[in-house]
Amino acid sequence: MATQRIIDFINTRRPNGPCMVLDLEVVRENYHNFEMALPESKIFYAVKANPAPEILRLLASLGSNFDTASVAEAEMALDAGATADRISFGNTIKKERDIARAFELGIRLFAVDCIEEVEKVARAAPGSRVFCRVLTDGAGAEWPLSRKFGCVPAMAVDVLLAAQKLGLDSYGVSFHVGSQQTDLSAWDRALGDAKYVFDKLSMEGITLKMVNMGGGFPTRYLKDVPTAQAYGQAIFQALSKHFGNRLPETIIEPGRGMVGNAGVIKAEVVLVSKKAANDNVRWVYLDIGKFGGLAETMDEAIRYQITTPRDGDLAEPCVLAGPTCDSADVMYEKNPYPLPISLTIGDEVLIEGTGAYTTTYSAVAFNGFEPLRSYVI
Ligand SMILES: *Cc1c(COP(=O)(O)O)cnc(C)c1O
């Protein structure tokens, strides 16, 4: 929800055009909630969710570690004050020269999900720790991460064996249960797979030490979501169930759950219209759309809460679209979005819970619209 600080900022600064305003105090609170929910786990903030320098500096000062997907993200974390031993290169798809650059920067923790990638890491970052990502089905997630990353657990065994043979330190297993995961039992299934890999390697004389439990912690959009504490309890129970009293080191990589609810997008109604005189479908066009930062409305996956100055008036479903000349730039049509019928051109609306996966998804200048401006306060 928009905090008072965000509302005051918008009202006094009157920023022109669509923008995302993010309250660092909410990020601070989220960080503490994760710390309290999973006190034994190290937090690696997933930088891709929102790499604003102010956020990275705050998290670095609070003691966070950083999950980075590229050399540029790793450099941003370093610039924010994190040391290289607090940074992981968590992308399973890396150019060998980028692995070498990360190694030069001092990074020694890398994700892999196949032997081909292990070979690159062994050449470019000799002796480093690697963890192998296993596939999950993403069931229960509103933004599933599909089959692009990870391998089946049986293959993870071979990958980690190969890593050890090539002089790397086979350190653990990772997974990501899918983003905006509202099913608390998703971690249980994945931790069962992780334990399987631990056991198989143990039979080969290799003791894995770490489970990277990924992100997936949700932000509240239209529906309530369980608290960080509820996630912590469910995850701790699943860990105990599978690993007994020999718990591995654990990492969590919250992205959305760390910054999503800290940000709000201020946007403006550009047009309200219909397609025919006798058509009762109302189209509402905002000055922000899929290319301006709301990419996660793709397939209507993420459904944001929108507040308007006319809330309380009678609301009826409408098609909600962005301002560009691209017909894909429609946010909600299959499942129309209820907005007040009194909503009119020029009204300012707030799109809540937009601190994650918005500014970085915004096109540089598609159709001449400038990239989504961001104010971190
Ligand atoms: C994107 C990503 C995350 C963050 O996921 P959220 O669902 O936003 O918490 C964590 N880990 C990895 C490896 C990622 O790619």
Side-chain angles (χ1 to χ4, degrees):
M1 298 300 284
T3 61
Q4 196 56 48
R5 296 181 69 216
I6 292 177
I7 291 171
D8 290 347
F9 177 89
I10 293 172
N11 288 342
T12 54
R13 291 280 296 267
R14 308 291 324 142
N16 188 27
C19 62
M20 198 276 294
V21 186
L22 183 137
D23 186 344
L24 280 178
E25 288 309 313
V26 180
V27 178
R28 184 192 300 276
E29 194 180 310
N30 291 339
Y31 184 83
H32 288 310
N33 287 340
F34 279 119
E35 263 188 331
M36 282 191 295
L38 285 158
E40 305 297 328
S41 296
K42 277 193 189 167
I43 298 173
F44 280 66
Y45 171 59
V47 172
K48 75 170 185 292
N50 191 329
E54 299 88 341
I55 296 174
L56 301 184
R57 280 200 295 271
L58 171 70
L59 290 173
S61 77
L62 294 174
S64 187
N65 304 275
F66 296 89
D67 164 48
T68 64
S70 63
V71 171
E73 282 190 358
E75 286 172 340
M76 289 187 237
L78 289 168
D79 289 345
T83 44
D85 59 330
R86 287 162 62 187
I87 297 173
S88 72
F89 202 152
N91 192 342
T92 52
I93 304 152
K94 303 174 284 301
K95 287 180 181 162
E96 189 163 331
R97 57 183 181 274
D98 289 341
I99 299 171
R101 177 71 188 131
F103 188 72
E104 262 175 37
L105 292 173
I107 295 167
R108 296 290 181 272
L109 185 59
F110 295 87
V112 293
D113 67 359
C114 62
I115 291 180
E116 293 77 358
E117 190 74 15
V118 162
E119 289 168 349
K120 288 191 229 166
V121 177
R123 286 189 296 264
S128 292
R129 289 175 169 173
V130 290
F131 54 87
C132 185
R133 179 150 167 187
V134 293
L135 279 170
T136 62
D137 60 12
E142 285 175 28
W143 189 256
L145 300 174
S146 81
R147 292 176 54 78
K148 183 168 173 187
F149 311 102
C151 61
V152 299
M155 189 167 140
V157 174
D158 296 334
V159 168
L160 289 167
L161 282 174
Q164 196 79 14
K165 279 210 190 77
L166 290 173
L168 293 167
D169 179 0
S170 289
Y171 198 63
V173 175
S174 77
F175 55 79
H176 193 302
V177 294
S179 202
Q180 187 70 6
Q181 177 57 264
T182 50
D183 177 3
L184 294 175
S185 65
W187 280 264
D188 178 55
R189 297 191 293 277
L191 284 166
D193 289 343
K195 180 62 162 67
Y196 163 88
V197 180
F198 269 61
D199 287 347
K200 289 284 177 187
L201 274 132
S202 162
M203 286 179 223
E204 304 287 337
I206 298 170
T207 309
L208 295 181
K209 300 189 185 62
M210 187 272 287
V211 180
N212 176 344
M213 305 189 290
F217 307 94
T219 281
R220 187 187 190 286
Y221 296 111
L222 284 170
K223 284 175 268 164
D224 268 334
V225 293
T227 60
Q229 195 190 5
Y231 282 85
Q233 271 164 11
I235 289 172
F236 187 77
Q237 270 166 20
L239 268 170
S240 307
K241 170 176 148 194
H242 294 290
F243 288 87
N245 53 11
R246 304 192 51 194
L247 296 187
E249 289 170 31
T250 52
I251 283 178
I252 54 169
E253 300 176 326
R256 189 187 305 278
M258 188 72 84
V259 293
N261 66 340
V264 168
I265 286 174
K266 180 209 71 126
E268 183 180 324
V269 177
V270 181
L271 185 63
V272 182
S273 64
K274 289 183 176 174
K275 301 293 170 194
N278 58 355
D279 190 355
N280 53 18
V281 179
R282 188 172 45 131
W283 283 65
V284 173
Y285 301 87
L286 301 179
D287 60 355
I288 185 169
K290 275 209 179 105
F291 302 97
L294 301 180
E296 287 197 320
T297 58
M298 206 187 299
D299 300 326
E300 309 195 11
I302 298 290
R303 211 165 158 80
Y304 294 106
Q305 181 179 335
I306 300 172
T307 58
T308 79
R310 300 179 198 276
D311 289 352
D313 291 0
L314 180 66
E316 277 181 5
C318 64
V319 177
L320 191 70
T324 65
C325 293
D326 188 310
S327 52
D329 194 9
V330 176
M331 277 90 78
Y332 305 117
E333 181 175 16
K334 276 193 242 94
N335 189 3
Y337 198 100
L339 285 175
I341 50 171
S342 52
L343 195 70
T344 190
I345 295 171
D347 280 353
E348 236 173 48
V349 302
L350 297 180
I351 309 172
E352 309 270 357
T354 43
Y357 304 120
T358 53
T359 50
T360 40
Y361 271 146
S362 149
V364 169
F366 177 53
N367 245 207
F369 290 96
E370 65 170 289
L372 182 60
R373 259 174 301 139
S374 145
Y375 300 96
V376 176
I377 59 173

